[in-house]
Amino acid sequence: MKSTFCGLGKGNYRSNIFTKYLLLTLIVIFFQGCYGKRYEDRKDKNSEPLPKYTVNVHEEYPIESLFELKEIIPINIEEKNFLVDIYRLQVSEENFYLLDKEFGTLIKTSNDGYQIAKIGKFGSGPDELPDIADFSLSEASGELLLISIEERSLAFFDLEGNFKRKIKLKNQSDMLSVDGKGKIGMSITYFNEEFSNFELLDSAGKSIKRLFPFPKDVFPIILKNISGHITKGYEGGILYQEPANSVIYEINQDEHFPKYQFLSSQPIWPQDKKHQLNSFFETLATGELSFPTRFFEESENHLYFGWNKEKNKNSQKIVDFRVGVFDKQNNRTYLTRESPLTSFLSGPMAVEGNSVYFIIPLFKLLDLSDEPVLESYKTEIIQLKNKFQDLDFPVILKMNLKILLESD
């Protein structure tokens, strides 16, 4: 898994990945611009309730004043498998499950990062998938659910990676989560005739309802790797954010409601323009917009989220990635200051109690080992260079939220 094979240089890794997806989205715009379906506008005319929490992104702090590094976990996999750019990480008891968005590889590891199993086989057979777009762990059934965009299918595996069954889906889905009762939430791409962004299924895969309708004149773009996310909420429901929307909704049993709304003194995309995807994308490309990235995770008292801040007028970079923490008890938001480390962190990927998980490539971890939040682990970081020949592989950083946030 050398850098030459993976096509990754040792430059600005996060900026290169972000720029790549901007270019891919332009390609999608070009080839899908003639998508001729005229959608029925099913927008609910009733005004929705106010969000439960307002996340006002303003106050900035050094990352070391918000987080304390507790553990560095290198991912050690078999040579025939590839992990480069982690799309999703889920934590279950003593194991990690990681999905790579470059190669579609889904790996189960021990809690010290050693591979236990590779889950799913690529192909067109009854127990195979042509691609793995996303996955989710169902605590209710003790299963892993894998979704394929190309095949429009949903596959079920046990937690050891053994295939159980597969069902066909009517709509193309690119993101997936399972709630505490086993209900399945799917983000549906804009290329569907249901005219909705979200579908809820029962544990057997039967459709229950569709939510978040979009208007007939929407211009379809896939922004999965830039904006929009789905994950499990702390209270057992599903948290879902539409692309180009500054609101996170909770879908819990028979109800759905706006839970978190992001606000900022800097330019943020208006909620009433959330379906103007082409304009949203073009504005993003200028760097003149602050917006939540696709990462967010919820704990009992906090929402952790990624944030891209409007670029500095003197900077050439169009991306300025930060990490944010919203305290639900005191309704305060804490955003990390600009730093080399946050430019290369992916996440928050997962939460477990007071712990938050991020991903970073080893070569960037080595470059940034003098950063204050990393310096107590500098010796351990340098030892990784001597232990592993491949410096592109991902490393999990397990961080704890500092107590000061609880009493500030």
Side-chain angles (χ1 to χ4, degrees):
M1 196 172 75
K2 299 300 183 184
S3 61
T4 53
F5 176 85
C6 298
L8 297 175
K10 300 296 190 284
N12 193 330
Y13 177 84
R14 287 292 298 280
S15 293
N16 289 342
I17 291 293
F18 186 84
T19 302
K20 180 182 69 174
Y21 284 108
L22 292 181
L23 292 174
L24 287 175
T25 305
L26 281 174
I27 293 171
V28 171
I29 293 172
F30 179 79
F31 284 105
Q32 300 293 342
C34 296
Y35 185 74
K37 292 290 183 182
R38 302 299 293 174
Y39 307 104
E40 177 187 0
D41 189 349
R42 299 184 295 122
K43 182 179 180 180
D44 188 355
K45 302 303 181 182
N46 300 320
S47 60
E48 66 181 19
L50 295 174
K52 186 174 182 179
Y53 300 104
T54 298
V55 183
N56 199 331
V57 183
H58 177 65
E59 298 177 275
E60 296 186 10
Y61 301 84
I63 188 172
E64 63 272 15
S65 71
L66 303 183
F67 296 100
E68 178 184 10
L69 182 61
K70 300 301 293 184
E71 192 174 359
I72 295 175
I73 307 165
I75 305 302
N76 197 333
I77 64 173
E78 297 174 2
E79 290 186 3
K80 62 182 179 180
N81 297 321
F82 301 99
L83 286 178
V84 177
D85 190 9
I86 304 302
Y87 177 77
R88 192 180 292 276
L89 163 69
Q90 291 203 334
V91 183
S92 175
E93 296 180 348
E94 299 297 312
N95 302 114
F96 296 122
Y97 295 88
L98 305 100
L99 175 65
D100 182 276
K101 68 184 177 189
E102 293 287 321
F103 296 96
T105 309
L106 179 56
I107 298 290
K108 175 184 179 179
T109 77
S110 59
N111 60 2
D112 56 359
Y114 283 84
Q115 178 176 332
I116 295 175
K118 179 179 180 292
I119 299 165
K121 296 186 296 183
F122 292 115
S124 57
D127 61 346
E128 298 175 328
L129 293 168
D131 65 285
I132 303 174
D134 199 5
F135 80 99
S136 185
L137 191 156
S138 173
E139 296 176 352
S141 64
E143 294 177 314
L144 288 168
L145 282 66
L146 283 60
I147 202 158
S148 166
I149 288 183
E150 181 178 336
E151 192 178 56
R152 299 190 182 190
S153 63
L154 180 65
F156 297 77
F157 291 75
D158 66 24
L159 298 185
E160 303 307 314
N162 299 305
F163 176 82
K164 298 179 69 173
R165 64 191 185 280
K166 183 168 65 172
I167 61 173
K168 293 289 187 177
L169 301 171
K170 180 178 180 181
N171 296 304
Q172 186 184 61
S173 175
D174 58 356
M175 292 188 289
L176 173 72
S177 187
V178 183
D179 72 11
K181 300 293 186 180
K183 289 187 173 65
I184 304 162
M186 302 190 310
S187 169
I188 309 173
T189 70
Y190 278 97
F191 306 101
N192 75 81
E193 296 182 359
E194 304 297 338
F195 320 131
S196 299
N197 281 138
F198 183 92
E199 185 169 15
L200 187 67
L201 314 176
D202 65 18
S203 58
K206 182 180 179 181
S207 180
I208 298 174
K209 60 182 175 181
R210 299 178 185 90
L211 301 170
F212 307 104
F214 52 81
K216 61 183 179 181
D217 59 349
V218 71
F219 191 87
I221 303 175
I222 296 177
L223 292 171
K224 170 184 176 181
N225 296 295
I226 299 173
S227 176
H229 189 48
I230 185 171
T231 190
K232 188 178 299 182
Y234 176 78
E235 297 174 347
I238 293 172
L239 297 181
Y240 175 65
Q241 180 186 32
E242 299 168 277
N245 196 352
S246 57
V247 178
I248 297 173
Y249 293 81
E250 179 162 324
I251 298 96
N252 202 330
Q253 298 302 314
D254 295 328
E255 64 173 349
H256 74 282
F257 60 91
K259 190 166 189 179
Y260 301 98
Q261 179 168 21
F262 291 98
L263 298 177
S264 175
S265 58
Q266 295 184 311
I268 190 169
W269 193 247
Q271 188 182 359
D272 61 0
K273 294 184 178 180
K274 65 182 181 180
H275 292 130
Q276 297 180 21
L277 301 180
N278 196 18
S279 297
F280 171 72
F281 171 76
E282 290 174 348
T283 307
L284 285 188
T286 68
E288 298 175 356
L289 192 69
S290 292
F291 69 99
T293 70
R294 70 171 188 83
F295 296 110
F296 60 80
E297 296 292 333
E298 185 184 48
S299 67
E300 180 179 10
N301 296 317
H302 299 94
L303 176 73
Y304 302 89
F305 61 92
W307 187 260
N308 185 62
K309 189 174 179 180
E310 178 192 24
K311 75 171 186 176
N312 187 302
K313 289 181 171 53
N314 298 321
S315 173
Q316 297 299 315
K317 297 190 305 178
I318 64 170
V319 290
D320 181 4
F321 291 110
R322 312 288 186 91
V323 177
V325 182
F326 173 72
D327 190 319
K328 292 187 274 188
Q329 294 180 315
N330 63 20
N331 288 308
R332 283 185 62 181
T333 307
Y334 306 79
L335 188 70
T336 59
R337 292 176 182 167
E338 183 178 11
S339 76
L341 179 61
T342 57
S343 295
F344 296 98
L345 282 180
S346 292
M349 287 281 190
V351 295
E352 185 184 40
N354 198 43
S355 298
V356 192
Y357 294 87
F358 298 90
I359 299 284
I360 190 170
L362 176 57
F363 72 86
K364 294 312 303 183
L365 187 63
L366 290 166
D367 290 345
L368 300 170
S369 60
D370 288 326
E371 288 291 300
V373 74
L374 300 176
E375 60 184 359
S376 62
Y377 282 78
K378 184 173 182 178
T379 300
E380 181 179 336
I381 292 171
I382 293 174
Q383 288 174 349
L384 292 177
K385 181 178 181 180
N386 300 325
K387 184 177 180 181
F388 297 95
Q389 293 182 343
D390 187 353
L391 303 185
D392 276 338
F393 74 84
V395 177
I396 297 174
L397 299 183
K398 181 179 180 180
M399 295 191 184
N400 280 6
L401 188 64
K402 284 194 169 180
I403 298 298
L404 67 90
L405 285 180
E406 304 290 349
S407 59
D408 195 341

